[in-house]
Amino acid sequence: MRPQDILMPVAAGLCCKPGGFHIDPVRPVERAVITHGHSDHARPGHGAVLATQETLDMMRLRYGDNFAGSTQAIAYGEQIKLGDVTIKFHPAGHVLGSAQIAVSCKDTCIVASGDYKDAPDPTCTPFEVVPCDVFITEATFGLPVFRHGDAANEVNKLLASVALFPERAHLVGAYSLGKAQRVIALLRAAGYDAPVYLHGAMEKITHYYESRGIALGELRAVKGVKKAELAGTITLAPPSATSDIWTRRFPDPVTAFASGWMRVRARARQRGVELPLVISDHADWDGLTATIEATGAGEIWVTHGQEDALVHWCTAKGLAARPLDLVGYGDEDEADAPAAEEADA
Ligand SMILES: [Zn+2]
């Protein structure tokens, strides 16, 4: 069977006709199979939704109980037959509950990675290489200039700055779902055991992580805390909040931003970031290319991000490769957090 007869990009997203579903649809569909909880992948309004329990819970937290007509949870390693295809979920290492979806029909297996990273992350199940015929990879950081390095070193930079400026507050811009919790876990792993303060928009999802057994140490809401008490502390906030009037409640804040884009100095300057931290929940160039090779796939479909360089790299390696024309997906660090997450600043 030709791979394009199994999965095909359409306006609503990646469509599996023989299975009767769409993967991460950007428009309401009858049956959606969803890779992870970020809002560009997990949207409300579908008939039936199949996803991991964590992804379903995150959708419920963001959109309310009626976010879909019906839901079904699937575990990593679990296999389900939908129409003429079989699907299986595998960990993507991107955020809690994130999954790659293997779609098999007759003797062809296609893996849709969703967003993924192969770097260690104590807040989610590690990425797993899934052998397949066609691998659909993201390409958010699909340029050789993007090499994220060790996230622990970046957190050490933050701690060095806190030690250097005990009279100032440190404000770390980090996406609310995944990045914020990973930064806190990295701080704890580095031995930082003081309370970590949270912007209101981070509280629900961070407490959800804790409820799933991710230990994050002592957390405090920053709301209502006196300015002077915030000297020498670390607060996590959505990236958009770190550049607005909200920051006036902090004593002489040092503004940090945890993102793979911080590799690009101009981006940090543009956003007025004093302390750029290169911490990403996406695979970097080496991670993308190593993963593509490890899957053993002979055909690579490249989507959301810098498709061209990765397609070129695949072609040079003798792999069939093409960009997938999917619209509506972005990088969560670049998108402004959705209104619901911005509430209760
Ligand atoms: Zn994502």
Side-chain angles (χ1 to χ4, degrees):
M1 202 167 184
R2 294 185 316 166
Q4 57 269 39
D5 294 331
I6 303 172
L7 278 175
M8 209 174 90
V10 298
L14 207 47
C15 174
C16 177
K17 242 190 183 156
F21 62 87
H22 290 73
I23 296 177
D24 293 352
V26 295
R27 298 180 184 173
V29 298
E30 216 167 289
R31 178 175 278 276
V33 179
I34 292 181
T35 59
H36 68 287
H38 282 146
S39 54
D40 51 338
H41 293 259
R43 298 175 192 248
H46 305 305
V49 172
L50 178 69
T52 62
Q53 186 62 56
E54 290 86 353
T55 296
L56 293 174
D57 290 342
M58 288 170 189
M59 292 178 80
R60 198 166 287 118
L61 279 180
R62 182 181 293 126
Y63 303 127
D65 284 338
N66 300 319
F67 71 90
S70 66
T71 61
Q72 185 181 351
I74 179 169
Y76 295 137
E78 196 181 331
Q79 204 162 286
I80 285 182
K81 196 151 170 59
L82 287 176
D84 294 332
V85 308
T86 303
I87 63 169
K88 197 171 173 183
F89 273 46
H90 301 269
H94 175 56
V95 296
L96 184 64
S98 65
Q100 312 172 73
I101 299 167
V103 181
S104 301
C105 189
K106 302 213 168 78
D107 51 3
T108 302
C109 176
I110 306 180
V111 170
S113 67
D115 292 341
Y116 69 95
K117 73 169 176 293
D118 54 344
D121 178 346
T123 66
C124 63
T125 309
F127 176 83
E128 186 183 296
V129 171
V130 187
C132 55
D133 303 298
V134 179
F135 184 58
I136 306 177
T137 183
E138 62 140 317
T140 306
F141 292 106
L143 285 174
V145 63
F146 290 113
R147 290 195 159 90
H148 300 327
D150 187 350
N153 293 338
E154 301 300 296
V155 160
N156 285 338
K157 273 189 221 165
L158 170 61
L159 291 175
S161 179
V162 172
L164 195 61
F165 302 113
E167 71 292 351
R168 300 178 70 183
H170 280 70
L171 260 182
V172 183
Y175 195 78
S176 308
L177 197 179
K179 186 68 60 65
Q181 297 76 30
R182 184 172 174 217
V183 168
I184 297 169
L186 284 163
L187 283 166
R188 299 312 184 200
Y192 185 78
D193 56 8
V196 170
Y197 290 83
L198 297 178
H199 181 283
M202 305 250 157
E203 289 176 28
K204 253 203 299 193
I205 191 72
T206 305
H207 295 313
Y208 175 70
Y209 265 65
E210 291 184 296
S211 78
R212 300 300 292 189
I214 313 293
L216 298 173
E218 189 186 344
L219 305 173
R220 288 185 190 168
V222 76
K223 202 176 181 180
V225 179
K226 288 198 187 87
K227 192 168 181 170
E229 287 173 29
L230 291 168
T233 64
I234 298 174
T235 298
L236 275 284
S240 55
T242 61
S243 56
D244 75 21
I245 173 168
W246 178 79
T247 62
R248 289 190 196 160
R249 70 178 67 192
F250 296 91
D252 192 15
V254 175
T255 306
F257 183 26
S259 165
W261 297 111
M262 292 297 99
R263 178 63 69 208
V264 184
R265 291 280 153 179
R267 291 240 193 181
R269 268 197 307 273
Q270 226 170 48
R271 301 186 70 122
V273 174
E274 198 174 332
L275 183 61
L277 304 172
V278 186
I279 302 177
S280 176
D281 286 336
H282 296 268
D284 64 3
W285 175 257
D286 293 334
L288 293 168
T289 53
T291 302
I292 289 170
E293 284 198 310
T295 62
E299 189 169 338
I300 310 299
W301 298 352
V302 185
T303 181
H304 42 284
Q306 322 263 357
E307 290 95 344
D308 296 350
L310 209 52
V311 167
H312 179 77
W313 181 89
C314 291
T315 311
K317 288 267 168 191
L319 303 170
R322 65 178 178 107
L324 266 197
D325 208 10
L326 287 175
V327 290
Y329 304 94
D331 173 52
E332 53 277 0
D333 286 341
E334 286 299 279
D336 259 334
E341 287 184 276
E342 288 292 315
D344 190 32

